[in-house]
Amino acid sequence: MSEVSKKRRALLAGMAGGLGAIGAGDSRPLAPDDPTKLQGPPPTEVGERSPFERPRRTVMKNEPASSSRTPLQDLTGIITPSDLHFERHHAGVPRIDPERYTLLIHGLVERPTIFTLADLKRFPSVSRLYFLECSGNGGEALRDPKGDLTPQEIDGLTSVSEWTGVPLALLFREVGALPDARWFLAEGSDAAVMTRSVPMGKAWDDAMIAYAQNGEALRPETGYPARLLLPGWEGNANVKWIRRLELAERPFFTREETAKYTDPLPGGKTRMFSFEMDAKSIITFPAYPTKLASRGHWEVTGIAWSGRGRITRVELSVDGGRSFTDAELQEPVLPKCHTRFRKLWNWQGEPATLVSRATDETGYVQPTREDFLAVRGADTRYHFNHLRAWKVRGDGSVEFALV
Ligand SMILES: Nc1nc2c(c(=O)[nH]1)N[C@H]1C(S)=C(S)[C@@H](COP(=O)(O)O)O[C@H]1N2
Ligand SMILES: [Mo]
């Protein structure tokens, strides 16, 4: 391990808040100098994290709690462990017996059909890595954010999984979707009966009914046993516990796409069906509450993503956005997925303001807060993708900032 990463490890270990305290409840001996003398515990049926590692989702404190956030600052690479995938549900998590689960597809189709879970699994499946992001993500960062926000608190409503399921196009061909069908309604079977209208084009493109995540069945909170997955589109339309799809000529204008998930714009206009998540990025290290322990080299790293395809560029600024240089994009760089970026930074104790700026394959560039507000207005409620910044003080402490 390099000196730089050793130091960073030591720093992060220090932040975890008392390794002694965590180890104390564990009766296993610490590794002795002679490892041949160590009697390890026997293999187990299900593994657990090292007791020294305690990544946690943060559960939002509103009553009743309806979301929890991924600890972005604790993750490496691009995958979110399934038990740390963010959660957002409007009326709890239903308990669904996979043997009794069904999905009805009807409306403008030749053959209305009820599929069991076993039926869905008989179709050829696909497995793809995609991010899923709540369109409310980042709202705390827009108005008057405090400096003591962590990456998790700002943008923890986005996660990446490898999703496995059946392409919706196969199911729609199976039931004989009629040419008049332009939209379909997706309905969940939770108490919220979440319903959204989705253009048919998404089904012919890359939508799927997902039943597995990171190599195993979906977690109950991510939609077990099956959910709609609309790669790159706002989280809300990715209906969990999916039970019904109804094909129609026009959208249904449900509550979730009129009263909610509709954006007031300046001049009394309204933006509806704003499905695609715009390109965005956030630095996850250094970030609050990190304190850089010393001058010298530090690796600035974070994630960038776009609902419109691949990230093609991430630029970094250390002077609050006056000048930028390119960060390295770490492979794999996948469409509609988090992309990790990194760049070595030689910090000599000067106050600095770190900013990341993402560009996607359509040429779209992540906007400044000023440009964002000029287009979207102060009353905007979703899709907060303006630039985020971190101020590094002379003493190495870091706080959240906007530029
Ligand atoms: N049936 C149903 N589907 C739902 C929801 C819900 O409450 N019920 N919440 C939506 C919202 S707002 C988001 S952001 C995503 C969150 O997915 P996750 O909990 O798997 O992260 O699911 C969407 N699908
Ligand atoms: Mo959401």
Side-chain angles (χ1 to χ4, degrees):
M1 205 190 289
S2 73
E3 272 312 304
V4 173
S5 47
K6 259 190 220 159
K7 273 186 197 149
R8 180 153 153 211
R9 291 243 105 187
L11 177 78
L12 293 174
M15 278 169 44
L19 295 178
I22 295 169
D26 187 333
S27 58
R28 270 173 288 175
L30 289 171
D33 292 339
D34 179 356
T36 61
K37 299 285 185 296
L38 183 62
Q39 293 281 315
T44 51
E45 290 181 327
V46 178
E48 272 177 33
R49 289 193 176 88
S50 159
F52 296 99
E53 301 293 331
R54 292 183 49 84
R56 287 291 182 271
R57 292 191 285 225
T58 47
V59 179
M60 297 321 275
K61 291 188 189 67
N62 54 334
E63 273 301 319
S66 59
S67 67
S68 68
R69 296 176 183 237
T70 292
L72 299 175
Q73 65 283 343
D74 297 333
L75 304 183
T76 61
I78 56 174
I79 306 260
T80 310
S82 299
D83 61 357
L84 298 175
H85 191 285
F86 88 88
E87 301 161 277
R88 172 80 179 97
H89 27 75
H90 294 68
V93 175
R95 201 177 116 119
I96 299 173
D97 178 349
E99 295 291 327
R100 297 179 57 190
Y101 169 84
T102 56
L103 171 65
L104 164 66
I105 306 184
H106 68 142
L108 294 179
V109 302
E110 282 166 20
R111 294 170 294 279
T113 307
I114 293 173
F115 296 92
T116 64
L117 189 60
D119 293 337
L120 294 177
K121 289 184 177 174
R122 281 184 68 177
F123 284 88
S125 67
V126 292
S127 294
R128 302 254 163 74
L129 277 89
Y130 291 123
F131 78 81
L132 181 71
E133 182 181 19
C134 177
S135 53
N137 201 25
E140 282 77 1
L142 183 67
R143 287 177 184 93
D144 188 21
K146 292 188 221 86
D148 63 352
L149 292 173
T150 64
Q152 176 168 27
E153 286 163 338
I154 297 159
D155 277 324
L157 296 174
T158 184
S159 307
V160 166
S161 285
E162 186 206 54
W163 304 97
T164 297
V166 48
L168 200 46
L170 287 185
L171 297 177
F172 281 179
R173 271 191 219 113
E174 181 74 15
V175 299
L178 295 171
D180 284 352
R182 292 274 173 274
W183 291 73
F184 66 90
L185 182 80
E187 181 185 85
S189 56
D190 52 334
V193 196
M194 175 68 61
T195 41
R196 288 290 306 257
S197 310
V198 181
M200 285 294 282
K202 190 62 172 169
W204 302 129
D205 182 10
D206 58 3
M208 62 162 109
I209 300 295
Y211 46 76
Q213 177 187 13
N214 296 333
E216 60 176 343
L218 293 182
R219 299 263 161 159
E221 65 270 27
T222 45
Y224 183 84
R227 80 179 303 165
L228 178 62
L229 198 81
L230 306 174
W233 285 19
E234 71 177 357
N236 185 262
N238 291 253
V239 176
K240 301 191 277 191
W241 313 295
I242 188 82
R243 74 171 178 198
R244 188 168 75 89
L245 303 173
E246 181 179 348
L247 282 63
E249 283 172 10
R250 51 186 72 81
F252 290 76
F253 297 100
T254 70
R255 188 187 79 118
E256 297 297 321
E257 55 209 20
T258 51
K260 312 273 178 201
Y261 300 95
T262 266
D263 234 356
L265 292 177
K269 290 199 175 157
T270 290
R271 191 165 79 129
M272 300 184 78
F273 303 114
S274 47
F275 290 117
E276 280 166 324
M277 298 305 295
D278 304 307
K280 183 170 173 182
S281 67
I282 182 168
I283 294 167
T284 55
F285 183 89
Y288 178 82
T290 292
K291 187 168 181 190
L292 297 178
S294 67
R295 298 173 182 200
H297 284 97
W298 293 94
E299 188 184 59
V300 178
T301 185
I303 48 171
W305 63 102
S306 165
R308 295 195 180 83
R310 281 189 178 74
I311 289 293
T312 49
R313 188 179 194 188
V314 176
E315 299 161 285
L316 281 179
S317 172
V318 294
D319 57 12
R322 275 186 288 281
S323 64
F324 283 92
T325 53
D326 282 355
E328 240 179 83
L329 303 186
Q330 177 178 299
E331 293 292 335
V333 177
L334 301 170
K336 306 177 185 179
C337 187
H338 291 171
T339 293
R340 182 151 296 271
F341 63 85
R342 47 179 77 254
K343 190 177 178 85
L344 211 54
W345 177 43
N346 190 356
W347 179 60
Q348 289 307 316
E350 71 283 3
T353 302
L354 305 179
V355 188
S356 61
R357 183 167 71 186
T359 302
D360 72 17
E361 63 180 280
T362 69
Y364 175 94
V365 181
Q366 191 181 355
T368 62
R369 180 171 181 266
E370 202 183 334
D371 290 347
F372 175 88
L373 283 171
V375 175
R376 299 274 297 280
D379 297 328
T380 192
R381 287 190 298 196
Y382 302 101
H383 299 267
F384 304 98
N385 72 319
H386 53 290
L387 299 180
R388 286 106 169 85
W390 299 99
K391 269 200 176 110
V392 181
R393 293 225 190 77
D395 67 355
S397 62
V398 182
E399 62 175 53
F400 183 68
L402 290 173
V403 288

